[in-house]
Amino acid sequence: MLKSINPVTNEVVKTYEPHTKDGVKSIINSVDKTWHHWRSTSFMYRGQLMQNLASILRSKKEELAFLMAQEMGKLKKEGIAEIEKCASVCDYYAANAETFLANEPIQTEATKSFVSYQPLGTILAVMPWNFPFWQVFRFVAPTVMAGNTAVLKHASNVPGCAVAIEELFREAGFPENVFRSLLIGSNLVKEVIQHKAIKGVSLTGSTPAGKSVAAIAGSELKKCVLELGGSDPYLILKDANIEEAAKICASGRLLNAGQSCIGAKRFIVVEEVYAQFLEHFTHEMNAAHFGDPFDEESTMGPMAREDLREELHQQVVSSMEKGAEVVIGGEIPHRKGTYYPPTILENVQPGMPAYDDELFGPVASVIKVKDVEEAIRVANDTEFGLGAAVFTSDIKQGENIAEMQLEAGACFVNDFVKSDPRLPFGGIKTSGFGRELSIHGIKEFMNAKTVVVK
Ligand code: NAP
C-alpha cells in the first residue's frame, strides 16, 4: 500500500492501492500503442494540448499546492510558485519544440542530406518527492512535445501528486495513455526498464538510486538521463558584498526546507571576511521561521519524512563527533511534525559527512579558507558536480571562476543556482549525466537520424 503521510501531524492522510505487475504491463502496452499514433501528430496539436495543461495548472495552483503541503510539507506559497513554474515549462515547449526539433540540412556531395529528430517511444521517468510537480513537468513537457509518450514512477511518499498529474493530462484533453502514472515501489523499476516498449529512462533522485537504475538501463542498452544529488559549493571572496551574499546564501540553503538538489550546501569563505560573513549568515538563518506550511508567517516547513530527518540529524551528530562545531541549531525540536531547525556547522573538515556527503535539509557547512585558490580547490573537492556559485564584486574574476574553474553543471555569479526552462540543467561527476530543459533537454530521448538522398 502506498501512503500519504502528513509530515506536520505524522498522520496517514490517504492510502493508494499499488498497481499489480500485470496492471503495470498492461499500462505500458497501452502507452506504447498510443505512441504509434502520438508520434505522428502535429506540433501545433501537441502544443495546444500543452497550453491547455498550462492553463489548468494555473487554475488549480492552490489545490495542487495544498496536496504538496499535505504529502511532503512544502510551504503553500512555495507550492504555488512551483505550479506556476510547471505551467511556464509547458508554455515554453509548446512555443519552441518545433523550432528546436526542425530538420538540420547539412551540405555533402549528395543531392540532399539532413538530420531529422525522431522520437524514441515510451520513456520511463523515476522521480523524487522534493519538487513533486516540477521534477515531473520539466521531464514530461519536452518529452511529450517531442512525440514520445511517458510513464511515471513517482516517489512512494507522493502518490497523490502522481495521481493528480495523470488526471491533469486527461483534463487538458490529451489522448488517454500519452502519460500514465505507475503506482509502484522501486522494487518494480527493473521490470519496467526491461519491458521492451520502454525506450529510455530519466531518473531524478539520489546518487545510489542513479547508480542502480543506470546499471539496469546499461544492461538493457537503454539510454538514461540522471539528475542526482549535489553538495553545491558557494564561494565568498573578500571583495563580495557580504551582507547581500549572506542573504542569498541563507535563502539558497533554506528553500524547500533545505531539500533541494541545487540547494546551497557548502559555504567556502576566505579568511579576511569569514567572521563578517558568519555573523550576517547566522542572522539570516536565525530569522527563518519554521512552522506549518499553510501559515503565511512560516518561511520554512517540516522535512518531508521522519526517516529523512533522522538521517540528516545523524550526519550532523557524526560531523560534530569528528570536530565540527554547531553555530546554531543541530537539535531536533520538541514538537509534533518532522521539523528540523536551520543549522550552521563550522570547522567542517574532510572526512565529515558535512564535508563529504549531501546534507538534504536546512544544514549549512561553513568552511574557512586562506584565499581564492584554496576556495576553488575545496569547492571541487567533492564527488558531486551539480551547481556552484561565487560571490565577488570583480565580475570578470567571478565569470572566469564560474566558467573555467568550478566543476559543476551550472555556475552562478552573485546569485543562488536556480533552474530555468531556457537554460540546460544537469550535473557532472556523481551528480549525473544528460541535460534537462532548453534545447538540450528535448533532444535527450530523440533519434538524431541522418537522412541522405543520393
Ligand atoms: P531517492 O530515494 O533516490 O528516490 C528518487 C526516486 O527513485 C523515487 O521514485 C524512488 O522510489 C526511486 N528509487 C530509489 N531507489 C531506487 C532504486 N534502487 N532503483 C530504482 N528506483 C529507485 O531520492 P529522493 O529522496 O526521492 O530525493 C532526494 C534526492 O534526489 C537527493 O539526493 C537530491 O539531491 C536528488 N535530486 C536531484 C535533482 C537533480 O535535478 N539533480 C533534483 C531533485 C532531487 P521510492 O520512493 O519508491 O523509493
Side-chain angles (χ1 to χ4, degrees):
M1 199 62 84
L2 295 169
K3 288 183 194 156
S4 292
I5 298 175
N6 186 337
V8 173
T9 59
N10 300 333
E11 279 161 12
V12 176
V13 178
K14 201 168 168 183
T15 57
Y16 295 79
E17 192 69 46
H19 287 122
T20 60
K21 282 188 185 185
D22 284 347
V24 168
K25 273 189 203 144
S26 154
I27 292 172
I28 297 172
N29 288 337
S30 305
V31 173
D32 184 46
K33 209 163 152 205
T34 301
W35 175 66
H36 291 277
H37 160 69
W38 179 251
R39 61 172 304 187
S40 51
T41 56
S42 69
F43 280 105
M44 190 191 269
Y45 171 65
R46 291 180 216 152
Q48 277 162 355
L49 295 176
M50 207 38 87
Q51 281 169 335
N52 292 349
L53 189 54
S55 305
I56 293 169
L57 280 163
R58 289 189 178 104
S59 70
K60 293 195 155 181
K61 61 186 175 190
E62 297 261 342
E63 178 184 326
L64 300 172
F66 178 87
L67 184 58
M68 283 188 267
Q70 214 180 31
E71 286 200 316
M72 48 70 68
K74 191 183 295 279
L75 290 184
K76 191 175 156 216
K77 52 194 165 208
E78 287 184 354
I80 289 174
E82 179 168 337
I83 298 300
E84 283 168 351
K85 198 167 171 183
C86 293
S88 78
V89 81
C90 293
D91 285 340
Y92 176 75
Y93 281 108
N96 294 301
E98 187 167 12
T99 313
F100 288 162
L101 299 175
N103 286 353
E104 290 167 7
I106 293 176
Q107 283 290 338
T108 66
E109 297 71 32
T111 316
K112 191 175 179 185
S113 37
F114 60 98
V115 177
S116 163
Y117 291 95
Q118 296 294 318
L120 291 181
T122 299
I123 311 299
L124 166 68
V126 182
M127 290 290 153
W129 48 264
N130 63 337
F131 292 90
F133 281 82
W134 169 244
Q135 307 295 1
V136 177
F137 275 87
R138 78 178 184 187
F139 155 80
V140 80
T143 301
V144 158
M145 273 308 297
N148 291 301
T149 49
V151 288
L152 165 70
K153 179 263 175 283
H154 217 326
S156 294
N157 57 326
V158 288
C161 293
V163 169
I165 296 170
E166 185 178 291
E167 206 41 54
L168 289 166
F169 271 79
R170 274 196 198 102
E171 235 180 286
F174 279 84
E176 186 68 18
N177 298 317
V178 165
F179 170 85
R180 293 292 302 275
S181 287
L182 306 173
L183 296 180
I184 53 172
S186 56
N187 58 321
L188 284 191
V189 167
K190 184 173 181 184
E191 275 182 52
V192 174
I193 295 173
Q194 286 171 334
H195 192 297
K196 69 177 184 331
I198 296 295
K199 297 299 189 308
V201 50
S202 180
L203 176 133
T204 300
S206 60
T207 296
K211 285 183 179 171
S212 164
V213 162
I216 302 163
S219 71
E220 295 294 315
L221 294 178
K222 293 183 181 177
K223 165 127 189 213
C224 65
V225 167
L226 301 174
E227 298 285 358
L228 309 178
S231 181
D232 289 9
Y234 279 43
L235 282 61
I236 320 297
L237 306 189
K238 65 178 180 194
D239 59 355
N241 177 338
I242 299 297
E243 221 175 309
E244 172 91 355
K247 250 194 197 96
I248 296 171
C249 288
S251 310
R253 179 60 296 205
L254 298 181
L255 183 81
N256 209 32
Q259 304 163 118
S260 167
C261 55
I262 43 165
K265 289 175 188 152
R266 291 176 298 136
F267 302 88
I268 303 164
V269 190
V270 295
E271 60 191 6
E272 282 105 317
V273 290
Y274 182 84
Q276 197 191 349
F277 175 80
L278 191 61
E279 187 192 332
H280 287 289
F281 186 55
T282 305
H283 173 77
E284 296 295 336
M285 293 282 280
N286 254 335
H289 174 67
F290 59 98
D292 192 300
F294 294 105
D295 185 347
E296 284 297 322
E297 300 287 298
S298 305
T299 57
M300 205 179 95
M303 292 187 63
R305 295 195 316 246
E306 181 64 51
D307 60 311
L308 296 167
R309 177 174 73 164
E310 191 47 40
E311 193 183 319
L312 178 74
H313 188 58
Q314 283 314 315
Q315 289 173 309
V316 169
V317 169
S318 160
S319 300
M320 283 159 60
E321 282 166 2
K322 292 177 172 161
E325 284 161 34
V326 173
V327 181
I328 55 165
E331 279 178 24
I332 292 181
H334 297 288
R335 62 185 283 183
K336 206 171 189 182
T338 52
Y339 294 97
Y340 201 80
T343 296
I344 300 177
L345 298 176
E346 64 171 341
N347 201 17
V348 171
Q349 307 284 340
M352 300 175 183
Y355 187 99
D356 298 331
D357 302 334
E358 179 180 37
L359 300 189
F360 211 57
V363 180
S365 302
V366 186
I367 302 164
K368 193 195 286 184
V369 291
K370 203 162 61 317
D371 53 23
V372 62
E373 284 74 29
E374 193 185 351
I376 293 165
R377 188 190 59 71
V378 171
N380 291 334
D381 186 24
T382 169
E383 65 172 79
F384 298 108
L386 196 54
V390 52
F391 291 82
T392 172
S393 55
D394 181 345
I395 299 302
K396 213 163 158 218
Q397 183 192 25
E399 199 177 310
N400 174 271
I401 292 172
E403 183 186 357
M404 307 302 291
Q405 318 275 347
L406 295 174
E407 296 167 0
C411 298
F412 281 48
V413 181
N414 293 331
D415 203 358
F416 67 83
V417 180
K418 347 176 151 84
S419 61
D420 178 320
R422 297 164 296 184
L423 298 169
F425 186 93
I428 58 169
K429 296 157 84 175
T430 63
S431 292
F433 46 74
R435 289 292 177 268
E436 291 196 294
L437 302 175
S438 77
I439 189 170
H440 299 276
I442 199 170
K443 289 186 172 171
E444 288 286 1
F445 294 108
M446 303 303 280
N447 171 13
K449 185 190 272 185
T450 295
V451 182
V452 177
V453 182
K454 191 175 172 196

